[in-house]
Amino acid sequence: MIYTLFVNPELTASPYGATPLDLDDLVEQFPPAGLIRHNVLYYTVQRVMLDNGFSSAIRLIEDSARWQMIICRVVGAAAMSFTSLDWDGITTLTTVVPTQGTKLFPGFAIATPGNISAAFPTIISSQDDTVVDIYTFGLAADNDSALVDNA
Amino acid sequence: MSGDIYVGRQFSFVLGQGLCESIRDVAQPLITLRDVLPKYVLKLDPSQFVSGYFRVSQAASTGIDQPTGYTSAKILCGVITSNGRSRVTIISPTHGTKTASLLGTKGATLGDHRSLFSFACDITTVTVSVPSTAQGGDDTLFEYCLWVLPDLTVASSWRDGDIALGYIP
């Protein structure tokens, strides 16, 4: 089965705070081109609650070397961590993506790595009672044969 | 720009079954995330918010300008996209120097699928780079947005003040 993911960070900024935001008032909209669209081969969903200093593995259910998008929605404070190969295929990159937020304005740690070299990325909490919703997506370009094989 | 600037974030995503060209083609969403309510809009000084776009050639790098007066004593939120093979490096007093590879695609063969990178932490510098042509690097478009995270527990940080925080004055 193939899936399609539409992601919309939709960060907007306006100098007209006294009235509700509308398109005519926006001075910035991010991303300017609108929705980000991806072909998805598989996905996982997890939710964990972690105290300060505790961590949890992020499951990737297929080859970790595949193109991934990992989205962590954080109420509290936490950092996504993993290692991946650089574009030379040799150098190891150590990636940490920290974020923090509250129920009113959650934080998002998002990465789109091309080749995760560790078996499991992890999410590490730096605040008690941090709740993390984790979504992972295995992505494919339009010419990826997996789009046919998995269909 | 004078006065305050108001930053809203309605992060959302929809996962649909099948290959869909448009979100309107999603007949039955498998996962839908709609995030914060529209009333939760931050109120910032205009100097605390920067956004823009630029292109980086293969085997080159560039730093992203930070909001005026920002120091690593505060939390900086950032969202960065790219449409090719690239990297983003953040240097943080708390986390040190960390680099992430970003994979995005463009063109008719691969399709237009941009990478997405989002973070919030104390920052010294944010740099993006593109690998050499031999490693698949190309003329790559980056779009970015950085803003200083205010104290979310005080009414003055929100457009709707006490109402956003749930207090009726």
Side-chain angles (χ1 to χ4, degrees), chain A:
Chain A
M1 180 56 68
I2 306 296
Y3 308 92
T4 306
L5 174 69
F6 295 95
V7 185
N8 184 23
E10 196 179 311
L11 190 95
T12 56
S14 165
Y16 305 105
T19 57
L21 290 173
D22 68 50
L23 290 177
D24 290 338
D25 290 340
L26 297 180
V27 294
E28 299 286 352
Q29 181 168 12
F30 190 89
L35 287 171
I36 294 172
R37 176 187 168 279
H38 281 288
N39 306 315
V40 173
L41 297 171
Y42 63 85
Y43 64 93
T44 68
V45 181
Q46 296 171 258
R47 170 174 282 184
V48 293
M49 195 282 283
L50 299 168
D51 278 345
N52 183 21
F54 285 77
S55 65
S56 178
I58 298 174
R59 284 199 310 270
L60 304 174
I61 59 174
E62 207 193 53
D63 180 9
S64 63
R66 174 168 285 285
W67 186 15
Q68 311 272 347
M69 178 175 281
I70 306 172
I71 298 174
C72 295
R73 178 185 187 272
V74 174
V75 176
M80 180 201 315
S81 177
F82 58 85
T83 59
S84 63
L85 290 181
D86 199 357
W87 299 115
D88 60 7
I90 300 170
T91 307
T92 298
L93 300 177
T94 301
T95 303
V96 173
V97 190
T99 194
Q100 63 184 68
T102 65
K103 287 179 181 175
L104 303 188
F105 210 84
F108 280 90
I110 304 176
T112 321
N115 191 342
I116 293 178
S117 51
F120 294 105
T122 55
I123 186 82
I124 305 165
S125 171
S126 54
Q127 180 178 308
D128 283 348
D129 301 325
T130 292
V131 177
V132 187
D133 294 326
I134 307 162
Y135 306 88
T136 68
F137 303 96
L139 307 180
D142 286 1
N143 66 345
D144 193 320
S145 61
L147 287 174
V148 178
D149 298 339
N150 287 7

Side-chain angles (χ1 to χ4, degrees), chain B residues 137-164:
Chain B
D138 194 0
D139 182 28
T140 299
L141 173 68
F142 291 89
E143 295 171 335
Y144 68 93
C145 188
L146 303 176
W147 77 99
V148 181
L149 188 68
D151 182 351
L152 301 180
T153 64
V154 298
S156 59
S157 297
W158 299 90
R159 183 188 66 184
D160 290 343
D162 290 344
I163 296 174

Side-chain angles (χ1 to χ4, degrees), chain B residues 75-104:
Chain B
I75 300 297
L76 189 69
C77 299
V79 184
I80 301 169
T81 71
S82 80
N83 67 349
R85 291 188 173 197
S86 54
R87 312 176 194 90
V88 58
T89 298
I90 58 176
I91 301 178
S92 158
T94 302
H95 300 280
T97 300
K98 304 296 179 186
T99 299
S101 65
L102 302 180
L103 179 53

